[in-house]
Structure formats: C-alpha cells, structure tokens
Amino acid sequence: MSPLHLQKLKSSVLLNSPKLDLTHSFHHPIAQILDQLIYTKQEGVQPTPLQKILSSGNASNLREAILCLNSNEKEQLFSKISEHALNRLISMSQESRPELFWQRLYAFADEQKNAGKSEIAISIFSHIISVGAGETFIAEQKKFHP
C-alpha cells in the first residue's frame, strides 16, 4: 500500500468515524486486529480464532488466547508482528480507560506506519474506523489542542 493511501486511511480514522460504544473490554478489539493479521482477506472468509477463544472462556485474556492458537496460526501471527509489538498490544488490551486505549492504539498504528509496517498499521486503522473510535480520538485531542 502506498504511503499516500495509508495517509488517507489515517485521515479517515480522524474524520469519518461513527459514534463508538465504549462499554466493552479491549481484549476483543485487539483480538480482531490480530485475527486480521493471521488470516488476510485474500484467504476468503476470515476465521477469528482469537475472538472465538476469548468468547468461549478458554482464555481469560489475550495472552492466554494467543497461547491457545494452533501452531500454524502462531507462525502466521509471528511472521507479521514482532514479539515486542505484540506485547505492546497485549498491554494496551488491559487498559481500563477507553480514551487512553484508543489514543495509545492510534499512536501505535502511526508508529507502525512510520516504521514501514503497513500491514499492522492498516489492520489497526481499519479497525478504528470500523468501530467508530475516530470520533473518540478527535474529542480527546480537542481537549488538549482546542
């Protein structure tokens, strides 16, 4: 994906997101992003192994859910994201304040984009748009930069 297209996606996050329901845990949003990395859109219907593991109760948090992935899923995940970056996302999933979670996630996506990790950045920016977190981010930014 070209840098221009990535910049447009980033701008879309900030400008075009619907209202967000902030009442859920953050293990699932991160699981959705990681599931996108495990199974790319080219593979057809996208399985959601991490989301299913979390929903089934077989894991109480994201770290445990990752340990429950089969070896092929783990290999696919670790081929696309470093252990350090994954640990940062796991840490974010434990955040209790929605505004801080979305700010940290957005900043992480921006860092990944700037580091040339466009697949991770695209997955995150796409997720932020799909759940409508862009408005949350804008509202928080306006508090500090009126």
Side-chain angles (χ1 to χ4, degrees), residues 55-109:
S55 296
S56 71
N58 290 333
S60 62
N61 61 53
L62 193 55
R63 189 173 304 280
E64 289 176 10
I66 290 168
L67 293 173
C68 292
L69 292 172
N70 69 42
S71 60
N72 290 336
E73 292 165 339
K74 286 179 189 173
E75 184 178 325
Q76 184 69 15
L77 179 62
F78 286 110
S79 74
K80 297 191 178 176
I81 188 168
S82 71
E83 186 175 345
H84 175 72
L86 183 58
N87 283 329
R88 287 184 61 198
L89 288 173
I90 290 169
S91 174
M92 281 180 227
S93 75
Q94 298 168 9
E95 178 58 58
S96 61
R97 294 167 292 180
E99 300 82 12
L100 188 54
F101 168 77
W102 293 110
Q103 285 177 346
R104 289 178 63 198
L105 187 61
Y106 182 91
F108 178 79

